[in-house]
């Protein structure tokens, strides 16, 4: 039974309504005031940065690009009058090309403006010791995104023998410490070492001759050069074998048969070159030290699922990250293996690759067709990259300064700028396929369909050169320009 509607109740209801309305308005005003304060702070930073850039340009004597009309444009009467007084400089093809290039760069910025703005504001929102340094970092990021727009093919050749009955999937490409040689390994059970400069000199030859070739007992999944000893190379294979090779002699110097299942990944410690690690389907990460122990591993790190990729921290030799079939990246201090520093969650399928792009940033790839950039100190996903296709195969992942490249299951590979979640560049392998069975499988253990995919990518250190290989064994040497 509802209470009687007396004048007292009606008056009280009006009081309640006015209190509710006033409370809402005050909260809304407070919220908008906070937004206004934030915007005012952002505007102040933008004004300071605009002033800083203008002052830098003036101090450097920078000139603006010449303004001119296209042939189809007629100058206005005022412009025509002005042109009678001062004759403009003639427009050269270089002027046209420069203006067109700038327009393309601006268009790329405008197409990704919201994300770039968010990156800028996030960088300027925290405590900053040196605003000029913060602005320069953003400028580097912006420049890396806009200045490269295409690929130039430097060379192309094949990994396998290309016979109709062969399968020539390339599993791994790695440069040595000086970038002079690179090794290619795959399901042909061979490691081939090529001289990079010889490959470039002999453009047009479909089959380059390796300077060294090592034959293994099983299909190869991964190779990694020692960061200190130029001719030392580690490999892993589908039978669980981990080996060390001398690429000068082509001889295997050490072989470990301790993993009980296929080994997907092998990597040297960049700060302690006597140690390397391997990750396997037997749910373990193992550490090896051939100078100290040639019979067995020196440490075993148990995992909760198949290990697909392993990487050491670039500056701290005791830190290691691995991606696994449990959809996670595990970041571990080897001194406390039972207590991970971070377990990075966010992928929806197996994590097939991990790569450190800086001491505090890690990139992961998964068969959920996503790459993710992680801040390892905060344990947070900074950005998710989408645009390539990766549902079942190992397609490769490589990083270089501000760029991330990965393969795709549409026979292409993609380059991302670290600052933008959409692909910056795409390169398509336009090569017809020999119908061959694909036995490579993938991180989830599936058998791949009869479709071509890019299976491995590798940046040449500190350059814009990238090597990419597909499931037919075709290899491209490309320069980002």
């Amino acid at each position: 039974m509802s209470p009687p509607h007396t004048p007292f109740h009606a008056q009280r209801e009006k009081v309640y309504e006015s209190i509710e309305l006033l409370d809402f308005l005050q909260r809304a005003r407070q919220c908008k005031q906070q937004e206004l304060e934030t915007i005012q702070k952002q505007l102040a930073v933008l004004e300071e940065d605009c002033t800083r850039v203008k002052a830098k340009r003036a101090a450097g004597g920078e000139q603006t690009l010449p303004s001119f009309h296209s042939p189809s444009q007629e100058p206005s009467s005022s412009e025509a009058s002005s042109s009678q007084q001062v004759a403009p400089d003639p427009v050269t093809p270089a002027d046209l090309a420069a203006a067109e290039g700038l327009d393309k760069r601006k268009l790329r910025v405008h197409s990704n403006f919201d994300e770039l703005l968010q990156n800028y504001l996030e960088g300027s929102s925290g405590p900053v010791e040196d605003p000029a340094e913060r602005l320069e970092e953003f400028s580097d990021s912006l420049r890396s995104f806009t200045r490269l727009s295409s690929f130039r093919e430097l060379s192309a050749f094949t990994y396998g023998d290309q016979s109709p009955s062969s399968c020539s999937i390339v599993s791994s490409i790695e440069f040595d410490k000086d970038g002079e040689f690179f090794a290619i390994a795959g399901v042909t059970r061979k490691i081939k070492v090529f001289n990079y400069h010889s490959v470039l000199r002999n453009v047009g030859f479909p089959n380059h001759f390796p300077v060294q070739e090592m034959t293994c007992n099983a299909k190869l999944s991964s190779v990694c050069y020692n960061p200190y000893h130029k001719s030392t190379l580690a490999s892993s294979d589908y039978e669980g074998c981990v080996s060390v090779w001398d690429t000068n002699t082509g001889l295997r110097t050490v072989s470990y048969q301790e993993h009980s299942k296929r080994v997907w990944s092998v990597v040297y410690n960049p700060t302690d070159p006597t140690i390397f690690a391997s990750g396997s389907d037997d749910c373990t990460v193992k550490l090896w030290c051939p100078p100290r122990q040639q019979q067995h591993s020196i440490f075993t790190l148990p995992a909760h699922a198949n290990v697909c990729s392993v990487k050491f921290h670039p500056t701290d030799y005791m830190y290691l990250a691995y991606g696994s079939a449990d959809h996670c990246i595990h970041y571990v201090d080897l001194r406390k293996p039972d207590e991970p520093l971070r377990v990075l969650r966010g992928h929806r399928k197996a994590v097939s690759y991990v790569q450190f792009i800086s001491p505090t940033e890690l990139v992961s790839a998964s068969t959920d067709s996503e790459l993710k950039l992680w801040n390892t100190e905060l344990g947070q996903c900074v950005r998710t990259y989408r645009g390539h296709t990766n549902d079942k195969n190992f397609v490769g992942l490589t990083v270089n300064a501000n760029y991330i490249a990965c393969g795709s299951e549409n026979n292409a590979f993609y380059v991302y700028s670290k600052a933008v979640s959409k692909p910056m560049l795409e390169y398509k392998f336009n090569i017809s396929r020999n119908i061959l069975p694909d036995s490579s499988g993938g991180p989830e253990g599936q058998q791949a369909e009869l479709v071509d995919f890019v299976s491995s990518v590798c940046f040449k250190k500190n350059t814009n050169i990238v090597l990419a290989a597909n499931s037919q064994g075709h290899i491209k040497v490309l320069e980002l320009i």
Side-chain angles (χ1 to χ4, degrees), residues 447-464:
Q447 292 295 309
E449 298 173 2
L450 295 178
V451 292
D452 292 322
F453 59 96
V454 170
S455 55
S456 187
V457 289
C458 181
F459 272 117
K460 188 172 185 283
K461 188 177 180 181
N462 299 326
T463 73
N464 291 333

Side-chain angles (χ1 to χ4, degrees), residues 394-423:
F394 284 93
V395 296
L397 175 70
T398 185
V399 299
N400 194 13
N402 288 315
Y403 301 112
I404 304 165
C406 69
S408 179
E409 287 164 0
N410 61 347
N411 208 22
F413 80 92
Y414 294 79
V415 178
Y416 294 86
S417 166
K418 190 177 77 168
V420 178
S421 60
K422 294 186 290 186

Side-chain angles (χ1 to χ4, degrees), residues 45-85:
V45 173
L46 285 164
E47 289 291 345
E48 291 174 1
D49 284 346
C50 286
T51 301
R52 190 173 287 111
V53 173
K54 290 176 182 178
K56 184 177 180 180
R57 292 190 65 191
E62 293 183 25
Q63 301 295 319
T64 58
L65 289 175
S67 60
F68 49 84
H69 302 282
S70 66
S72 62
Q73 290 178 315
E74 294 294 334
S76 65
S77 58
S78 61
E79 289 173 330
S81 175
S82 171
S83 65
Q84 293 174 2
Q85 300 174 7

